[in-house]
Amino acid sequence: MPLFLRCFNMSAMQIPCRLVSNYVSRMRYLLELKEDDEACRKALSSGAFLLFHSFSPLLQKSDSKYMAPFVMASGKIEKARAESVLKGTFVDLRKAFFLLDGKDAPLLSKAQGLLRWHSTNLYCSRTGQRTHKNVSGSKRICSSEEIIYYPQVSPVIIVLVSDGAHCLLARQEAFPPGMYSALAGFCDIGETVEDSVQREVAEEVGLEISSLEYSASQHWPFPNSSLMIACHAMVQPGQNKIDLHHSELEDARWFDAKELTEALKRKRVPTKKEMGDVPFWIPPPWAVAHQLIKEWTESQQPS
């Protein structure tokens, strides 16, 4: 199957056709590329591209590190030929996320999300007519009625629940062996973030939240471009008995700061051979779940 090279809104400093000096200038330039087809064509003629095959990015390995290379070319190329010439391998994005340096993950996440959105929005939901994308790929247009569609994301809450001395981590059956993470779930229509956190915690582990605090947010490409809204939450005093919803989760446990301090020291995913010697592991450092766990663990240390 032939594959295509695409450019996905890279920082303008990486596009050699124009140099910009500050954040505002970069954002204005990227807006121009999104909206002005001719300006985008000009940038594409000298742009750098990420390479995907069936939504899997090309990765190159150097020593023990993996990176996503930028390719200074455009057009079609066979998969095997691309891997041979570029000395890389197309890796499923879920697996790639555990191999990559954190700095490459956000751009690959955005690129794959945009590719997937285009592949599933080929037709207008009102007219049934074929839609077409603009040059930058920032939108799709139904020409029959000039209806414009923009990429959408689904809001998802991810919450680290604590009883004060422990925090709760869980795993789904689809997780890699031994990995535990914070609770997460999609926001229902009409819900606030607070409503979603309370409902998800009640549904998945049978606990009631007494308070919550916003921490951060992160784009997540699975299953189809989510905006992860990360929070810390406390359960009602004296309430820490887990009532697991087995259709949602495989397991959930309370962990103390000592256990999580050891988990945070592990800088990489354990190999299959090492799995038996590692009691559990947590998402990689650039994942917002890792950030929540690190924040909670540091909060437990003496001042």
Side-chain angles (χ1 to χ4, degrees), residues 128-280:
Q129 299 296 310
R130 183 93 179 187
T131 60
H132 65 274
K133 69 178 184 67
N134 63 338
V135 175
S136 71
S138 63
K139 57 188 175 184
R140 296 192 72 87
I141 303 161
C142 175
S143 300
S144 63
E145 293 192 16
E146 293 301 315
I147 302 169
I148 299 176
Y149 294 92
Y150 293 96
Q152 295 179 326
V153 296
S154 300
V156 174
I157 59 91
I158 179 166
V159 56
L160 191 68
V161 177
S162 173
D163 67 355
H166 306 82
C167 74
L168 188 146
L169 299 180
R171 58 172 284 104
Q172 300 175 8
E173 186 178 356
F175 281 9
M179 191 186 86
Y180 281 75
S181 186
L183 300 178
F186 287 96
C187 298
D188 281 349
I189 191 167
E191 284 187 329
T192 63
V193 169
E194 293 83 356
D195 292 337
S196 297
V197 169
Q198 289 180 314
R199 175 183 53 76
E200 279 294 331
V201 174
E203 286 178 354
E204 295 193 348
V205 292
L207 296 173
E208 190 173 345
I209 294 302
S210 61
S211 63
L212 67 92
E213 178 183 350
Y214 171 79
S215 173
S217 63
Q218 180 183 43
H219 175 260
W220 194 249
F222 314 112
N224 293 304
S225 291
S226 302
L227 175 63
M228 307 295 288
I229 304 164
C231 302
H232 291 277
M234 292 288 292
V235 294
Q236 295 285 359
Q239 186 193 66
N240 61 6
K241 184 179 179 181
I242 299 170
D243 180 12
L244 196 67
H245 194 297
H246 289 281
S247 67
E248 296 277 345
L249 299 173
E250 182 179 78
D251 188 28
R253 293 166 44 196
W254 292 104
F255 294 83
D256 62 28
K258 182 179 179 181
E259 292 175 291
L260 295 178
T261 297
E262 290 302 311
L264 287 165
K265 291 178 181 177
R266 301 180 192 116
K267 300 301 182 183
R268 59 178 176 80
V269 177
T271 64
K272 289 183 179 180
K273 185 177 180 180
E274 295 169 333
M275 286 288 184
D277 299 323
V278 177
F280 74 99

